[in-house]
Amino acid sequence: MSKQIGILTAGGDSPGLNAAIRGVGKSAQGTYGMRVIGFRDGFRGLTENRTMRLEGDSLSGILTKGGTILGTSRDKPHKMLIGGKRQDMTDAIVETYEANHLDALVCLGGGGTQKNALRLKEKGLNVITLPKTIDNDVALTDTTFGFDTALGIATDAIDRLHSTAHSHHRIIVVEIMGHRAGWLALGAGIAGGADVILLPELPYDIEKVSEAIRGRVKSGKSFSIVAVAEGALSVDQASRIAKLQQDLLNATDKAEHKALKALIAEQESDYADNTLRLSRQLEQLTGLESRVTILGHLQRGGTPSATDRLLGTRLGTACTQLIADGRYGVMVAARGEGTEPVPLEQVAGNKKLLPPDHPWIESARMVGTSLGD
Ligand code: F6P
């Protein structure tokens, strides 16, 4: 009997999701004669058994589209907001899986989705995941789909900001997404020729940043582009957070644990304004005028790049082959030209951050870019 598979997209959307849905769907139906059911809006739609037909024509014409035809949400199976309260909806998910006679569930998502998928695997479901996110921070895969498109958009933005910064002799601080990882800011910063790049993995010293900008002024360059990752922290901020996290690890008392968690959340929400703060500090320290551009969700929108369409298709079709072979409980990782199944236990809870000796960091330094450290 042919297999029946479910598919959903979870977490923030990412260019290339539709290419991956199409890759799974077309190969499952065309090559193996499997049946495919889409679930809407991530794990919430799975809980509520809200489905979408993914047969025949419904998979045509979506390769070039941004977003996800299935819709997405940041809901977690074990902590879903229902009527104002967080509830564990895992049993409802198992019910949906059984009611639809699924042989496998494909979850397309980033780091959080890998953790949620592992939880479902532990409940006995045949789960398989694909790594998507513009942040490129999923562990044990060479890359994730969405990253290349976002890299192109952020690079284009830096290119455009150059001419206006130059005309007005200004600093332009451009904030680039990436959550707590610096891949996108570093990649776009190098490709766009930013003068300063600030990354979450390398806490910055504001004096060093302003020194780099003043140095440019001395050499006749009266404008500067500062590419800052949304998760970048100053040396002081990073050490404050690290200390609180250490205290949290050592906390034995429940109340103390709760208080420390609240304190960390408070600090982090204060640091959410870092880009504006940085711009103001640079104005004071350099005497130049400074402007802020926050690229935000522009980086996730619109047509996926050729690279992301190709990656989504490669991972999607490899996923179907694994299902045909009965290999579950894995993430389909991109590895060189090919793909590799990696056990979910190894991926979940791990993040791929930039190592301080990464070749991109070395290249940035060698072309004279300040990393503020
Ligand atoms: O994970 C992708 C991402 O775009 C991050 O870069 C960013 O921090 C976050 O999602 C934004 O989330 P939301 O779309 O929920 O505002």
Side-chain angles (χ1 to χ4, degrees), residues 79-331:
K79 268 193 205 164
M80 207 168 285
L81 201 58
I82 313 269
K85 273 173 79 188
R86 297 260 167 222
Q87 291 187 34
D88 185 348
M89 299 307 286
T90 313
D91 289 345
I93 287 178
V94 174
E95 250 173 58
T96 304
Y97 184 94
E98 284 166 359
N100 286 286
H101 307 288
L102 297 183
D103 294 290
L105 175 69
V106 182
C107 303
L108 278 54
T113 303
Q114 311 304 324
K115 287 198 244 174
N116 292 325
L118 176 60
R119 285 192 191 98
L120 298 182
K121 182 208 155 180
E122 287 164 353
K123 285 281 171 179
L125 307 193
N126 292 331
V127 188
I128 185 159
T129 66
L130 302 190
K132 74 89 227 218
T133 166
I134 64 164
D135 304 338
N136 195 32
D137 61 353
V138 177
L140 300 172
T141 179
D142 287 357
T143 188
T144 55
F145 51 87
F147 176 63
D148 182 74
T149 308
L151 185 63
I153 295 169
T155 302
D156 182 52
I158 296 177
D159 289 350
R160 287 171 188 278
L161 291 171
H162 260 99
S163 59
T164 174
H166 181 264
S167 309
H168 286 266
H169 317 292
R170 279 174 175 159
I171 298 169
I172 292 197
V173 180
V174 51
E175 183 186 285
I176 297 173
M177 274 189 172
H179 198 224
R180 295 192 183 171
W183 297 100
L184 203 50
L186 181 61
I190 294 174
D195 308 297
V196 178
I197 304 176
L198 304 179
L199 306 167
E201 293 88 344
L202 295 179
Y204 61 84
D205 175 343
I206 191 70
E207 281 300 334
K208 297 232 168 97
V209 178
S210 66
E211 215 173 276
I213 294 173
R214 284 196 302 263
R216 280 177 55 78
V217 174
K218 267 194 205 132
S219 68
K221 293 168 185 150
S222 60
F223 76 96
S224 286
I225 302 285
V226 179
V228 54
E230 63 176 347
L233 297 175
S234 70
V235 175
D236 285 352
Q237 292 171 336
S239 71
R240 217 166 297 145
I241 290 278
K243 159 125 194 11
L244 287 171
Q245 271 159 352
Q246 192 51 50
D247 291 349
L248 187 67
L249 278 179
N250 298 336
T252 42
D253 182 68
K254 221 174 166 188
E256 190 192 356
H257 198 268
K258 203 172 161 198
L260 280 165
K261 272 190 117 172
L263 208 54
I264 292 176
E266 198 185 308
Q267 290 281 333
E268 285 180 342
S269 106
D270 178 35
Y271 300 160
D273 290 336
N274 257 0
T275 305
L276 299 172
R277 190 175 291 135
L278 179 73
S279 172
R280 281 196 303 269
Q281 287 173 318
L282 290 178
E283 279 199 337
Q284 281 161 8
L285 291 167
T286 64
L288 293 174
E289 213 176 26
S290 177
R291 293 286 187 271
V292 170
T293 300
I294 296 180
L295 298 182
H297 294 82
L298 266 181
Q299 294 160 106
R300 287 198 339 223
T303 311
S305 67
T307 298
D308 280 335
R309 295 180 208 179
L310 177 58
L311 181 60
T313 306
R314 279 173 52 210
L315 296 178
T317 52
C319 172
T320 307
Q321 279 170 340
L322 289 167
I323 295 173
D325 295 343
R327 298 261 331 252
Y328 308 117
V330 293
M331 175 185 81

